[in-house]
Amino acid sequence: MDRSIQSLNPSTDDSASSSTPSTPRQILDDEPDFSLAHNNDSQSSFGASSSREQSVQPPTVRLRPKYPIERLPPELLIYIISKLSSQSDILRCLKVSKSWSNCCVELLWHRPLFTTWERLVNVVDSIQSPVAHWQYANLIKRLNLSNLNEQINDGTLQPFVNCKRIERLTLTSCSKLTDSGIIGLVRGNRQLLALDITGLDAITDLSILALSQNCPRLQGLNITNCRKVTDISLVKLAESCKYLKRLKLNKCMMVTDDSLEALARRCPSMLEIDLQDCRFITDRSVTSLLLGGRQLRELRLASCNLITDDAFLQLPSHLKYDSLRILDLTACHQLSDLAVEKIIECAPRLRILVLAKCVEITDRSVLAITKLGKNLHDIHLGRCQQISDDALKELVKCCNRIRYIDLAGCNRVTDAAVKQLATLPKLRRIGLVKCTSITDRSILALAKSTLDPRGRSQPMSNLERVHLSYCVNITLEGIHSLLNHCPKLTHLSLTGIQAFYLREDLVTFCREAPPEFNEEQRNVFCVFSGDGVNLLRKYLNEEGAHSYDGEITMFDEGDLIGTGDDADPDGLMGLMQSTVLDNDDGDGDDFDMDGHL
């Protein structure tokens, strides 16, 4: 924070606030102007008036009327100033007047940014200064120390214990923190609305108990990977924090049905709950959460292995969950078609449905999913090996707003299904990892122009991410066509395809393999992201047919898009985008990645 804030003297008075009882009366806005109130100019001239006249008619000094912006309440003024794009502009506004400075300093300290240790030291010095003009500790409402996670410990948090108006506290991956530091921050802070302590292995029930005792307004809690937290503190949290709306308990291995049933009873406003890898929860708690959470928007139960069809079949037939948009059932191995049919019946407006590694489901489930119609945006069916082309064709007919479909490891999927999927007008991402039956015909179909929702032809594909690792029948010629007809492509995974990972000139444009990969995985790794996609496209266009001389193609030469007059690499270059999506994956075997959101 700029130290000039402290050196400023914000007591500079506004004209409207500087008047005292001895100040001549202020002329009302609807009174005539002072200089026009006298017919005789000599009477309005102080120099020409006699002492007797001055004693009879004392001069009236008119104060400047308030401008409209000075009449704004502080809330509106803060909102207007918050639209400024830089802190330097806000600092200039701070020097305008006392009322403006009060509004600006609140904006500047509302969410201090800690990008370096020096910034943190400056903020702490200001908070602890005995001569500070403002009470900076009371101005901080959002505190995020995750950028300095490796340096943060309990002692670092000590200067912030007097910040009792914090509403959002983020301490993600600050692994050196213990219960002592967390308890000191939350004690007496009744304004706290959200707490994120993801990855704090040392945190125990003591911190959660302190949270339940001091923060009754809590609405969001993320304790992912806090493996020592148990039902004891979570039950107390449910009893004290009845406004909870968002709760993430990922990999909290000691959580059982007891705490989840308490949350279902005491927190009726729950909107999102994530229970990934909570392996002790059973059908009982899932049913309780659904019965008590009619407003649920997002429910994630990935790798909850004990869940069976009964978790959903026990729901009354008349109940509808119209708010439920996201349901993640990854690796719930015991679920069958019966559960999927019941889910679609109860939640007809699902947008994202994840059934990856639900190995028991068949085409019957896909036919049930078609009832979601235009509501369905993302569908994940990785490793559902019983799904066939016929069900996917029906899915395309009924759900034409699909943006992302994952079919990783679905060995029964062939070119016929992919050709149908390629006609989806909003398709942005497709996962076909280890779909070993597909050939260049599928790639050609993905490269072809499609129709937009209004039935008009689109000259180029809208695909952004394509996952084709271990599709061993794909050739370089097909991928070249895909690159030239997908100008928005930012991610292309081709791991395990010899036509690519054996070519040193092409591997040059790949990104580095993740450090945890072994030697065998590194040898076949081949993933192009961001600029790597653009560079590969440019290289293949410059090399032309020499790039794949002698390579046998898997389709008729006349079917190839991008040859002859249709090829226009120079025209495509201006359309290329090199944006890298935030959720990049390792793709040494993005089979697993494509099974998750």
Side-chain angles (χ1 to χ4, degrees), residues 298-340:
E298 181 177 331
L299 178 60
R300 297 184 182 271
L301 301 168
S303 300
C304 296
N305 300 324
L306 299 180
I307 297 175
T308 70
D309 291 346
D310 289 339
F312 303 98
L313 296 180
Q314 293 175 8
L315 296 173
S317 57
H318 67 277
L319 286 183
K320 299 295 180 184
Y321 296 88
D322 290 330
S323 298
L324 191 60
R325 295 292 185 271
I326 300 174
L327 179 61
D328 185 354
L329 298 170
T330 299
C332 294
H333 302 297
Q334 300 189 58
L335 295 182
S336 70
D337 294 331
L338 291 175
V340 176

Side-chain angles (χ1 to χ4, degrees), residues 238-368:
E239 294 173 351
S240 303
C241 304
K242 62 181 180 180
Y243 300 111
L244 265 178
K245 294 182 178 180
R246 294 171 176 84
L247 182 62
K248 289 184 179 293
L249 303 175
N250 306 28
K251 300 182 180 179
C252 293
M253 301 296 189
M254 303 180 74
V255 173
T256 71
D257 291 338
D258 293 339
S259 57
L260 295 178
E261 288 185 317
L263 288 164
R265 288 193 308 269
R266 305 301 295 267
C267 304
S269 301
M270 191 71 72
L271 300 177
E272 302 171 10
I273 186 163
D274 192 340
L275 302 172
Q276 179 181 340
D277 280 323
C278 294
R279 298 180 183 269
F280 292 122
I281 70 170
T282 67
D283 296 340
R284 189 179 55 161
S285 58
V286 174
T287 303
S288 297
L289 285 171
L290 289 169
L291 289 174
R294 298 292 301 279
Q295 301 180 53
L296 268 177
R297 297 177 187 170
E298 181 177 331
L299 178 60
R300 297 184 182 271
L301 301 168
S303 300
C304 296
N305 300 324
L306 299 180
I307 297 175
T308 70
D309 291 346
D310 289 339
F312 303 98
L313 296 180
Q314 293 175 8
L315 296 173
S317 57
H318 67 277
L319 286 183
K320 299 295 180 184
Y321 296 88
D322 290 330
S323 298
L324 191 60
R325 295 292 185 271
I326 300 174
L327 179 61
D328 185 354
L329 298 170
T330 299
C332 294
H333 302 297
Q334 300 189 58
L335 295 182
S336 70
D337 294 331
L338 291 175
V340 176
E341 289 174 340
K342 182 64 175 181
I343 288 167
I344 302 304
E345 176 189 336
C346 293
R349 301 184 67 182
L350 276 172
R351 289 186 179 177
I352 299 176
L353 179 59
V354 187
L355 297 171
K357 304 181 187 177
C358 295
V359 294
E360 297 296 324
I361 69 172
T362 68
D363 284 352
R364 181 176 165 184
S365 290
V366 178
L367 294 177

